[in-house]
Amino acid sequence: MGASYESGALVACKNVMVAFDAAGECLDATLRCITHAHVDHAARVNEPNTLMSLETYELLRAVGRLKQNAGILEFKKAMNIKSVRVTAINAGHILGSCQYAIECDGSALLFSGDVNVQDTLVTKAAESMNVDFMVLEATYGDPSFVFPDRETTYSKIVKWICECLKNGRIPAFKAYLIGKSQEIIKLVNEYLGIPVVVNDAVAKVCEVYKKFGLDLSYFCKSTAAGKEVLKTGECVYVSNHRADFPIGKRVMWAIATGWALRYRFGFYDAAFPLSSHADFRGLISHVEACMPRKVYTMHGYSKRLAKELERRGFLAMPLESVGRFVPFIYEEKRA
Ligand SMILES: [Zn+2]
């Protein structure tokens, strides 16, 4: 994507220009497909002709990022726009996250966005689709990123929470506003059954998750009930900011992120490798499930992942090395 490469990509299909997520310099985009509600993917949601899942729409509204209406695409229901057919399938990353399949002139391209190929307590594994081209995220695209089994990480978190409480400390998690916070809350609800207190921003997002059928139990710190629970000290606190712990109790802070595999989070009392992304093996297995003729990798370890895919017999290259547009129909014509 060269200099115009941002958090997204552009695909030209005959008379339709498709921009994914926050791809820039595309005033003539016929369509802007938003994969999910995380901030780095949602920088241009207030531009014209956006398309997103209903869940993403509600999440973006709840966090105050989306100020206008948007086109809503139901999962697995194809939409025809001029010469292009667009279908959304589950990406398994957060509520409403989708991968987009673009079909044009008999070729199909899948844009993965952020993807997770395993079930979690709050999301179902990403679906796969047989396509010709694939644009795949590479956040953890280095072979060194192999996450422990999710149940193992869940049990380590539960153990740590129990130890904190036994030592008279309140276990607190700094977690991403959308996705990780809800997974931690669900984990405590399911495995421990002790109360969870959250900050206001996390509560707003939880309301959207509940609206779409996820049963979450928590108290908001700004309510009288939330304050009462915090005073007892027998609870777990979840917030997207570390700085806002509401009372003067002794607290232990943890962070849950895939980067805990590689980096020491010295300012935290604990760090758990719990990620909403696929690890290296998951990314490879996703490509194997989709069997594309060519893969373009983006974000993070895009070069390394492309190399590893080539070693496994796939044609692959980092997206940033191919110019402004994802070669799709045009490439086939040139060939
Ligand atoms: Zn994301």
Side-chain angles (χ1 to χ4, degrees):
M1 307 293 289
S4 70
Y5 172 82
E6 291 176 25
S7 181
L10 299 173
V11 176
C13 326
K14 293 174 85 179
N15 56 347
V16 178
M17 176 74 74
V18 185
F20 290 100
D21 288 341
E25 289 183 33
C26 190
L27 297 172
D28 52 352
T30 317
L31 203 58
R32 183 173 290 279
C33 296
I34 307 297
T35 60
H36 66 289
H38 278 157
V39 63
D40 49 332
H41 297 257
R44 292 175 186 260
V45 291
N46 292 303
E47 292 192 5
N49 307 319
T50 50
L51 198 60
M52 59 188 74
S53 67
L54 182 59
E55 294 89 337
T56 298
Y57 176 84
E58 296 280 351
L59 285 168
L60 288 170
R61 282 288 203 186
V63 299
R65 186 157 282 274
L66 184 63
K67 316 277 186 204
Q68 60 180 27
N69 278 329
I72 303 298
L73 185 60
E74 275 184 57
F75 283 99
K76 292 186 174 176
K77 289 227 170 121
M79 184 184 269
N80 291 306
I81 296 146
K82 296 184 180 174
S83 55
V84 165
R85 192 177 151 92
V86 184
T87 313
I89 59 170
N90 176 31
H93 177 59
I94 59 168
L95 177 72
S97 63
C98 52
Q99 310 173 79
Y100 286 100
I102 306 291
E103 292 166 83
C104 181
D105 265 6
S107 285
L109 176 147
L110 185 70
F111 184 87
S112 77
D114 290 349
V115 74
N116 185 8
V117 297
Q118 290 189 337
D119 288 346
T120 77
L121 284 170
V122 293
T123 43
K124 285 271 171 222
E127 290 163 305
S128 58
M129 184 174 175
N130 201 242
V131 287
D132 303 289
F133 301 93
M134 191 168 182
V135 182
L136 177 69
E137 65 122 331
T139 308
Y140 295 113
D142 185 276
S144 63
F145 285 105
V146 174
F147 298 141
D149 181 70
R150 209 165 196 90
E151 289 296 326
T152 303
T153 305
Y154 283 161
S155 64
K156 284 190 174 163
I157 292 173
V158 166
K159 192 167 169 240
W160 181 78
I161 290 171
C162 293
E163 278 168 9
C164 289
L165 292 170
K166 203 172 78 187
N167 295 326
R169 307 285 183 95
I170 296 181
F173 289 82
K174 183 201 171 290
Y176 288 128
L177 181 62
I178 307 174
K180 201 66 67 63
S181 294
Q182 291 69 36
E183 189 173 1
I184 301 282
I185 295 165
K186 189 70 180 161
L187 175 65
V188 178
N189 289 170
E190 294 273 314
Y191 287 56
L192 287 161
I194 55 174
V196 182
V197 181
V198 305
N199 69 332
D200 296 17
V202 167
K204 259 189 194 167
V205 172
C206 289
E207 288 304 314
V208 181
Y209 270 75
K210 283 168 76 173
K211 190 172 169 180
F212 286 96
L214 184 75
D215 186 20
L216 289 173
S217 170
Y218 56 87
F219 295 89
C220 186
K221 71 159 190 178
S222 58
T223 63
K227 285 176 184 137
E228 276 309 306
V229 173
L230 278 171
K231 267 188 219 158
T232 68
E234 287 291 312
C235 62
V236 175
Y237 186 65
V238 178
S239 167
N240 61 320
H241 292 294
R242 182 171 166 165
D244 73 348
F245 194 78
I247 58 166
K249 290 260 180 193
R250 294 202 301 170
V251 179
M252 298 283 270
W253 277 98
I255 189 163
T257 167
W259 298 112
L261 266 192
R262 175 155 301 185
Y263 302 109
R264 281 186 66 245
F265 286 83
F267 294 113
Y268 288 86
D269 301 299
F272 301 99
L274 188 72
S275 179
S276 304
H277 289 262
D279 66 0
F280 175 75
R281 293 176 310 185
L283 292 169
I284 298 287
S285 73
H286 194 41
V287 175
E288 287 170 347
C290 296
M291 287 307 286
R293 281 189 281 133
K294 194 161 188 179
V295 187
Y296 299 98
T297 53
M298 66 184 291
H299 290 318
Y301 293 91
S302 56
K303 282 189 189 138
R304 188 61 203 260
L305 182 59
K307 218 174 181 178
E308 291 293 333
L309 284 166
E310 292 244 295
R311 280 187 52 213
R312 288 162 176 79
F314 290 96
L315 210 52
M317 59 178 62
L319 184 57
E320 63 265 27
S321 69
V322 300
R324 187 172 177 207
F325 299 101
V326 179
F328 178 31
I329 308 296
Y330 286 178
E331 179 193 61
E332 293 303 286
K333 280 182 181 162
R334 278 205 306 271

